[in-house]
Amino acid sequence: MKQSEMDTKVVCGVTLRKDPARESCFKVVDTDAQMVAWPDMSPQSRRERLHRHMNNEITSLDIAAQCLADFPDAPWDLRMQLARQAWDESRHVTALHRRLKEIGGFKGEFPVANFEWTVTCILDSLVGRLTLQNRTFEAGAMDLMARLPGKWREAGDGETADLLDSIAADEIQHVRFANQWIRKLTSEDKRLLFKVAHAVRFLAEVNAAFAPAPGETNVVGQVIANAGQVAPINAADRELAEFSDEEIAEVLRQAGFPALVPRQEAQA
Ligand SMILES: [Fe+2]
Ligand SMILES: [Fe+2]
């Protein structure tokens, strides 16, 4: 699907895919400054963390499902992986919603943002979307999930910690199949490396545009942490069409894709 065929929105000067549909109970916002978040593990902070995570899982479901709709000609086995991912994410949403209600929360209690959807789904290639959603955002979430259950256990909530552990087990597969398919697709068609490089570069630009000012606060007066987003990649500031092979290799290396770098460049 071409970008010209998509509904878009402009946030912080960047054109992004317009938000997916949400139930009317949700207040959808664009930036961390418009969100509610506390750094502690107080009851309201716990509810907000689960509420935010629940919406992030809905967003993962939306992205996988939209890839199926936008790329009907993708290889069948890849489409099956995306369909399985959509099923996994729907279970994650249900489980988090159940736990949210058990600790006294409810749908729409806090604002939600669909950052990953708006950035990923503006891309016009499936390999680009797998690069951002699965290989970057979900891999980042996987890193985070290695630490999060311990935080909940320390706070005395072993039940939520166990739930997060079980979700993390599924996320590994979402990152793995994307890595396998990115490798396969780019080895069959080297031009797709441009799509990978473009996706990585685009995310760096979005992250730079969205970065909070030092000391900037959210709507409950808490200083915004920039930890939820991937660190910008220091790519060459040339237009994509002018990238040399070496420049693409450098972007790929910095993005954590050394396996995609042609051998002699990897050794250079
Ligand atoms: Fe998930
Ligand atoms: Fe996932």
Side-chain angles (χ1 to χ4, degrees):
M1 175 181 256
K2 294 189 190 116
Q3 195 177 317
S4 57
E5 295 165 354
M6 300 174 187
D7 288 332
T8 59
K9 66 175 185 179
V10 177
V11 183
C12 300
V14 190
T15 300
L16 302 169
R17 186 97 174 230
K18 201 168 172 186
D19 290 87
R22 286 286 176 269
E23 290 174 79
S24 58
C25 62
F26 288 106
K27 182 187 178 191
V28 179
V29 300
D30 295 313
T31 66
D32 283 343
Q34 299 166 318
M35 292 287 280
V36 169
W38 296 271
D40 58 25
M41 291 297 279
S42 62
Q44 63 182 5
S45 177
R46 290 189 209 187
R47 296 198 306 276
E48 197 281 325
R49 285 164 189 267
L50 282 189
H51 192 274
R52 180 189 298 240
H53 191 161
M54 177 181 73
N55 187 63
N56 286 342
E57 297 286 356
I58 300 172
T59 304
S60 296
L61 165 58
D62 284 332
I63 293 169
Q66 192 66 44
C67 284
L68 287 172
D70 285 352
F71 305 102
D73 299 328
W76 179 255
D77 288 347
L78 174 51
R79 287 172 60 76
M80 281 301 293
Q81 292 283 5
L82 287 163
R84 287 192 190 105
Q85 179 181 355
W87 164 236
D88 286 345
E89 309 298 12
S90 72
R91 285 188 287 104
H92 299 168
V93 175
T94 305
L96 286 162
H97 183 219
R98 186 177 59 235
R99 187 66 192 141
L100 175 67
K101 285 189 290 185
E102 284 170 359
I103 65 168
F106 58 89
K107 284 192 303 188
E109 184 175 7
F110 305 99
V112 294
N114 305 307
F115 178 79
E116 296 178 4
W117 158 281
T118 63
V119 177
T120 301
C121 289
I122 194 73
L123 298 176
D124 64 1
S125 71
L126 182 50
V127 76
R129 292 192 195 178
L130 291 172
T131 298
L132 290 200
Q133 170 58 14
N134 297 59
R135 178 58 180 75
T136 306
F137 291 133
E138 295 211 47
M142 214 170 60
D143 295 341
L144 189 65
M145 294 288 266
R147 300 196 312 268
L148 263 187
K151 197 172 168 95
W152 284 83
R153 263 191 201 97
E154 268 172 39
D157 188 344
E159 202 161 327
T160 299
D162 289 345
L163 170 58
L164 296 178
D165 273 335
S166 71
I167 290 174
D170 285 339
E171 304 299 353
I172 293 167
Q173 169 59 13
H174 304 162
V175 180
R176 184 188 295 133
F177 88 74
N179 269 330
Q180 290 167 346
W181 275 98
I182 291 167
R183 243 176 258 131
K184 181 172 163 55
L185 294 171
T186 55
S187 69
E188 289 167 359
D189 182 355
K190 296 285 181 209
R191 288 172 301 179
L192 290 178
L193 287 170
F194 282 101
K195 297 291 187 183
V196 172
H198 170 70
V200 169
R201 197 175 145 90
F202 176 62
L203 177 59
E205 289 168 7
V206 174
N207 278 338
F210 272 68
E216 189 178 351
T217 53
N218 64 20
V219 293
V220 287
Q222 300 292 327
V223 174
I224 302 164
N226 201 16
Q229 297 177 4
V230 177
I233 290 158
N234 186 19
D237 58 355
R238 296 188 187 189
E239 292 298 322
L240 184 65
E242 296 177 1
F243 270 16
S244 67
D245 287 351
E246 174 51 32
E247 284 166 334
I248 292 171
E250 185 54 33
V251 172
L252 293 172
R253 275 193 211 102
Q254 290 187 19
F257 284 87
L260 296 181
V261 178
R263 185 167 288 276
Q264 79 247 32
E265 283 160 24
Q267 289 168 344

